[in-house]
Amino acid sequence: GVDTRLDPARAFDLASDLDELRRAARRHTLGPTTASLVNEAERRGIPTLRLDEHSLVQLGYGKYQRQIRASITSLTPHIATSTASDKDLTKQMLDRAGLPVPKGAVVRSADEAARAASRLGFPVVTKPLDGNHGRGVTLDLHDEEGVRRGFEEARAHGRQVVVERYFPGNDHRVLVVNGEVVAVAERVPAHVVGDGRHSVRELVDEINRDPRRGEGHENVMTRIKLDGHVEALLARAGLTTDSVPEEGQRVYLRDTANMSTGGTAVDRTDETHPENITVARRAAKVIGLDVAGIDLISPDITRSVHETGGGIVEVNAAPGFRMHLQPSEGKARNVAAPVLDMLFPKGTPCRMPIVAVTGTNGKSTTSRMIAHVLRHAGHTVGLTTSNGIYVNGELVTAGDTTGPKSARVVLSDPHVDVAVLETARGGILREGLGFDRADVGVVLNVQPDHLGLAGVETMEDLAAVKSLVAEVVTDHGTSVLNADDPLVVEMRARARGRIAFFSMNGGDGAAPVLRAHIAEGGLAVLREPTVLGDELVMYEGGQRLPIIRARDIPATLGGFAAVNVQNALAACAVALARDVPLPVLRSALSTFTTSFEQSPGRLNLYDGHPFRVLLDYAHNPSGLGYLRDLVRHLRPERGRVVGVIGVAGDRRDEDIREMGALASEAFDEIVVREDEYRRGRREGVGARLVREGALAAGTPEERVTTILNEREAVDAALRMARQGDLVVILVTEVENVWRQIRDFDSSGTPPRLLPDESRGARETHRA
């Protein structure tokens, strides 16, 4: 529906709209503790990923990652957080360690609470056994009636209640990180100071107008709320919210000094006595917390609690940082820094190498080749492709996974130490990259595909989108560019890191830009003709080193699959940029095939029938052009080529017709199908355009069959095939069609016809 708030006829209510925006911000923004840690990580160049809608955040990538939820870290022991949440157990452990704690008891009824208070001696404190944020805490109770009232207050926040001796003094929060005290704040409960003219309510309203105060944790301080607890506290002092305190009279509105209830904080870090620091450090160690908030009551923090009295009343897991980051008075402390020092000690890696691969054609195969090489080099590789996400070769998520969400899956996997990310145009336009920078950015080519969509009207527009992969390369990384594609060559002006070129035209056919690059000592990988066949060769620093012959890479189908020769050149450039040794690179390339298992939907050959089947994903004119050239080498001497072709509906009419024309050049019999998702076109329109292109290119009408459903079209082509034929299937549903090919019953396949037995027109067309 339409958002009526944007309607110019609607009356504008600034206050209401601002409140709504604030509520939205509170729902979606990180709290002050988590935000401080994320900001500190980003200052250090540590990548961050938010894992939920709250405060769970990943710092670092892959196997190097750590996680935080506010100040709970992935190093925080669960047993320590459980201990800290049990106030009685915490006190027992601290007492056993000789640390100053108040005596107390756990009670289950108001009568038990009254008896415990009498036994301990007044004044006492009541609080929930497993409470937090000061909820249900009542201080300085001097009689049985107060204890019973305090019990009920605590009972509302927990099933069990603690009654303990009250330590007089000031409330201090001591923050301990990794065994060291990093900040101390004196916490002052929410209060007003009378002026003899205004009521308590009016004084609170005036305090709440302070721009530093907001709802919850959105600002430095929290607004004070006048609720039943405040009214009860005032009543004990003989006051109401309408009372007018005398000038200078301090009226406390809360028992506890928590920031979340409107309290204020004064930094006391530099004034704290060394023995008090030792007490806090030992307390954190006893409980086992890596990040701990020690609540220390002391009449004078500049003197030892052993001398003045007082002690530890609580040890908190997940302590808030707000009071230290932005105290109401005193010096602000960057308490996030020591947490990051603990999670990522100096010299500890936080990132894994990222290889991002983009281009119109060849992304999936090149990405798979790169991942195959890096696995041979001993890495645990996370790979995203148009067929799914793989971790160390194992499929973990099937589907088209070339967008930012899929990239984040790999970057979040705790086993992965290098990421190879196929990066498609659509994901970039929708959400960006999913990562902030890459160690290697690969741009394979820019061909006319998806033009006219999402504001991408020209080839230059498309190149601008794809160039982003090279633009985010680190200063010490490598941009791998196709020297045979003018639009890709132009990207070197804005690509970052060093430039590595690859080219199918080495030797005497090398372009001037490539010759100059090599002369300057740059990295380049070229296909060069030799007497033993085409060879992949590297140049760097004035040296020429042969890598492997093209025909020795199984994926090139004897060197005839030019597209995979080109993909291998790019993969070699990436491997060399990542310092993969040449013997490892050669071994990896010599074991990379076009099998369905290694490269589903990319030049997969099946020879289990009397005829041969080639499955491929060619989906644009450039890709089909490469396939047409390969089919010329695979064409059976005395058989036909039957092709199944479909084109996505979001291509331009002229592109779809061109696909039909290319199919006419490649296939003797054409079966035209359609994708299930026609992307805005009416049923049959895309198939009609393919048919028009084929007929215009000279294919006789009787040799073009239209069957819209992919499964039915594939079945028809397989039944049409004779012994010795080649069936080429351009596929959408890769897994399903491959299964259909394997399961097809070819026992009734008729014998192959000799040329003089077949239709003359067919032979003429094939010639």
Side-chain angles (χ1 to χ4, degrees):
V2 177
D3 189 343
T4 56
R5 288 171 297 179
L6 302 179
D7 184 352
R10 172 183 172 271
F12 182 64
D13 186 343
L14 177 61
S16 174
D17 289 348
L18 282 176
D19 284 342
E20 185 171 348
L21 287 172
R22 290 189 184 101
R23 287 193 295 272
R26 285 195 294 272
R27 286 195 303 271
H28 300 293
T29 57
L30 294 171
T33 301
T34 309
S36 71
L37 292 165
V38 168
N39 292 338
E40 180 64 23
E42 291 175 346
R43 279 194 292 271
R44 299 178 180 211
I46 299 172
T48 64
L49 293 173
R50 190 169 183 175
L51 302 180
D52 66 2
E53 295 181 357
H54 304 289
S55 298
L56 183 61
V57 177
Q58 176 183 316
L59 309 178
Y61 286 152
K63 66 183 274 187
Y64 306 114
Q65 68 178 273
R66 299 289 191 214
Q67 293 180 359
I68 58 169
R69 187 191 294 277
S71 61
I72 292 285
T73 80
S74 49
L75 303 181
T76 305
H78 175 71
I79 194 169
T81 60
S82 298
T83 300
S85 68
D86 186 330
K87 292 176 172 43
D88 189 54
L89 175 59
T90 296
K91 191 165 53 179
Q92 290 179 39
M93 293 181 67
L94 297 180
D95 184 52
R96 190 178 297 122
L99 292 166
V101 293
K103 296 187 181 300
V106 179
V107 299
R108 297 177 182 272
S109 69
D111 289 341
E112 280 188 62
R115 288 194 296 271
S118 178
R119 185 173 64 255
L120 293 168
F122 293 99
V124 296
V125 176
T126 56
K127 57 187 176 183
L129 178 66
D130 55 355
N132 53 54
H133 296 293
R135 298 185 184 99
V137 178
T138 308
L139 305 176
D140 199 14
L141 300 172
H142 289 264
D143 53 39
E144 182 178 316
E145 180 184 352
V147 170
R148 291 180 179 276
R149 185 177 63 249
F151 174 86
E152 297 302 331
E153 176 74 17
R155 188 69 174 79
H157 296 274
R159 288 181 297 179
Q160 293 178 291
V161 174
V162 173
V163 179
E164 65 185 24
R165 285 293 305 271
Y166 173 68
F167 277 164
N170 299 320
D171 182 347
H172 299 87
R173 166 61 60 84
V174 185
L175 183 63
V176 182
V177 177
N178 200 26
E180 299 295 332
V181 171
V182 299
V184 180
E186 179 183 338
R187 299 186 297 179
V188 182
H191 65 278
V192 294
V193 178
D195 60 4
R197 294 181 292 111
H198 295 92
S199 68
V200 170
R201 184 183 302 277
E202 290 169 335
L203 292 170
V204 168
D205 289 341
E206 179 61 29
I207 287 174
N208 285 340
R209 280 192 280 270
D210 185 335
R212 295 178 299 168
R213 289 189 182 266
E215 295 296 324
H217 296 282
E218 68 180 3
N219 282 11
V220 178
M221 295 182 288
T222 300
R223 293 193 184 102
I224 299 171
K225 293 183 178 180
L226 297 178
D227 54 18
H229 182 88
V230 172
E231 291 173 351
L233 191 62
L234 289 172
R236 292 204 297 272
L239 301 170
T240 69
T241 56
D242 294 322
S243 300
V244 178
E246 297 178 3
E247 185 172 357
Q249 180 183 356
R250 178 169 292 203
V251 178
Y252 286 98
L253 305 174
R254 293 283 174 181
D255 279 320
T256 58
N258 295 77
M259 299 284 286
S260 58
T261 57
T264 55
V266 180
D267 179 68
R268 302 292 189 196
T269 307
D270 296 332
E271 306 166 36
T272 303
H273 192 278
E275 289 187 10
N276 295 338
I277 289 175
T278 299
V279 166
R281 291 176 62 236
R282 290 193 62 219
K285 190 72 173 177
V286 167
I287 302 304
L289 289 170
D290 58 337
V291 181
I294 312 299
D295 289 347
L296 181 68
I297 304 298
S298 168
D300 184 353
I301 198 66
T302 66
R303 298 166 60 195
S304 170
V305 290
H306 298 303
E307 174 189 344
T308 63
I312 299 169
V313 293
E314 281 189 23
V315 176
N316 298 276
F321 289 177
R322 183 168 56 148
M323 70 187 76
H324 309 297
L325 296 166
Q326 298 172 311
S328 311
E329 298 178 37
K331 182 179 178 180
R333 305 285 171 172
N334 180 9
V335 294
V339 177
L340 269 295
D341 291 340
M342 174 184 69
L343 295 176
F344 297 96
K346 188 174 182 179
T348 301
C350 62
R351 291 177 177 270
M352 59 180 171
I354 294 175
V355 179
V357 182
T358 195
T360 304
N361 295 311
K363 296 186 296 295
S364 285
T365 301
T366 304
S367 297
R368 288 177 179 277
M369 277 189 181
I370 295 167
H372 185 71
V373 171
L374 293 175
R375 285 187 65 198
H376 262 64
H379 293 285
T380 300
V381 181
L383 169 68
T384 65
T385 72
S386 56
N387 299 109
I389 301 172
Y390 297 78
V391 173
N392 218 30
E394 181 180 352
L395 179 67
V396 296
T397 301
D400 187 348
T401 58
T402 57
K405 182 179 179 181
S406 302
R408 288 190 286 267
V409 171
V410 166
L411 299 176
S412 299
D413 193 290
H415 302 98
V416 173
D417 63 21
V418 63
V420 180
L421 307 176
E422 180 181 344
T423 307
R425 166 208 59 89
I428 294 174
L429 290 172
R430 284 193 307 273
E431 300 179 59
L433 291 173
F435 52 91
D436 57 348
R437 61 195 197 200
D439 297 271
V440 183
V442 185
V443 186
L444 298 173
N445 45 66
V446 180
Q447 298 295 325
D449 196 18
H450 297 103
L451 297 180
L453 297 174
V456 178
E457 303 295 334
T458 66
M459 294 279 286
E460 289 72 20
D461 293 341
L462 188 57
V465 174
K466 294 184 181 298
S467 70
L468 182 62
V469 163
E471 293 173 26
V472 300
V473 169
T474 65
D475 291 338
H476 301 291
T478 305
S479 291
V480 176
L481 305 178
N482 183 353
D484 301 333
D485 189 316
L487 287 173
V488 177
V489 172
E490 288 180 9
M491 294 179 191
R492 63 180 174 161
R494 53 187 184 274
R496 296 184 60 186
R498 65 170 173 165
I499 302 297
F501 280 123
F502 66 94
S503 172
M504 294 283 282
N505 302 307
D508 295 337
V513 66
L514 197 54
R515 291 178 183 275
H517 180 74
I518 292 172
E520 294 168 0
L523 174 61
V525 183
L526 315 180
R527 181 188 69 170
E528 292 185 348
T530 71
V531 294
L532 298 176
D534 289 345
E535 191 166 39
L536 278 61
V537 178
M538 71 166 284
Y539 288 87
E540 187 175 25
Q543 285 190 313
R544 176 189 183 277
L545 291 174
I547 301 174
I548 191 171
R549 288 184 299 184
R551 69 187 185 190
D552 291 335
I553 304 173
T556 68
L557 302 179
F560 294 122
V563 64
N564 275 351
V565 176
Q566 187 177 62
N567 294 336
L569 290 168
C572 286
V574 172
L576 295 170
R578 294 302 308 161
D579 297 322
V580 174
L582 277 177
V584 174
L585 175 57
R586 293 184 185 112
S587 174
L589 290 176
S590 66
T591 57
F592 187 83
T593 73
T594 61
S595 69
F596 186 83
E597 291 69 29
Q598 276 195 312
S599 194
R602 272 70 182 176
L603 300 182
N604 306 141
L605 283 167
Y606 186 80
D607 288 314
H609 300 309
F611 48 85
R612 197 174 210 188
V613 183
L614 175 65
L615 182 73
D616 195 69
Y617 190 68
H619 59 284
N620 55 49
S622 176
L624 185 51
Y626 277 115
L627 188 64
R628 173 202 58 196
D629 296 340
L630 175 61
V631 167
R632 288 172 179 162
H633 294 285
L634 298 178
R635 175 178 285 278
E637 290 184 11
R638 308 180 73 180
R640 307 165 303 160
V641 179
V642 179
V644 179
I645 179 172
V647 184
D650 58 359
R651 271 55 172 186
R652 299 175 302 178
D653 289 3
E654 57 264 39
D655 296 330
I656 299 177
R657 289 193 180 96
E658 185 179 355
M659 290 286 283
L662 288 166
S664 176
E665 297 175 19
F667 311 139
D668 301 315
E669 299 279 354
I670 302 174
V671 180
V672 183
R673 62 168 184 83
E674 275 194 345
D675 287 356
E676 180 180 348
Y677 301 104
R678 298 179 178 86
R679 308 182 192 187
R681 291 186 185 270
R682 295 192 307 276
E683 185 179 40
V685 172
R688 176 176 57 78
L689 292 171
V690 173
R691 180 184 179 86
E692 288 175 2
L695 296 178
T699 300
E701 189 171 347
E702 65 271 16
R703 294 185 184 172
V704 182
T705 304
T706 300
I707 302 175
L708 299 184
N709 178 270
E710 181 174 67
R711 182 174 183 82
E712 294 174 5
V714 171
D715 185 70
L718 295 174
R719 294 186 184 284
M720 189 183 299
R722 301 169 181 168
Q723 184 176 354
D725 284 349
L726 172 65
V727 180
V728 179
I729 301 173
L730 306 187
V731 69
T732 299
E733 297 294 334
V734 174
E735 294 276 352
N736 293 336
V737 172
W738 184 251
R739 191 179 305 113
Q740 185 180 355
I741 293 169
R742 287 184 315 172
D743 296 345
F744 179 72
D745 182 3
S746 58
S747 59
T749 300
R752 182 180 63 200
L753 293 178
L754 297 176
D756 59 350
E757 299 175 288
S758 63
R759 289 181 293 183
R762 178 171 302 161
E763 293 303 320
T764 301
H765 177 66
R766 196 184 78 184

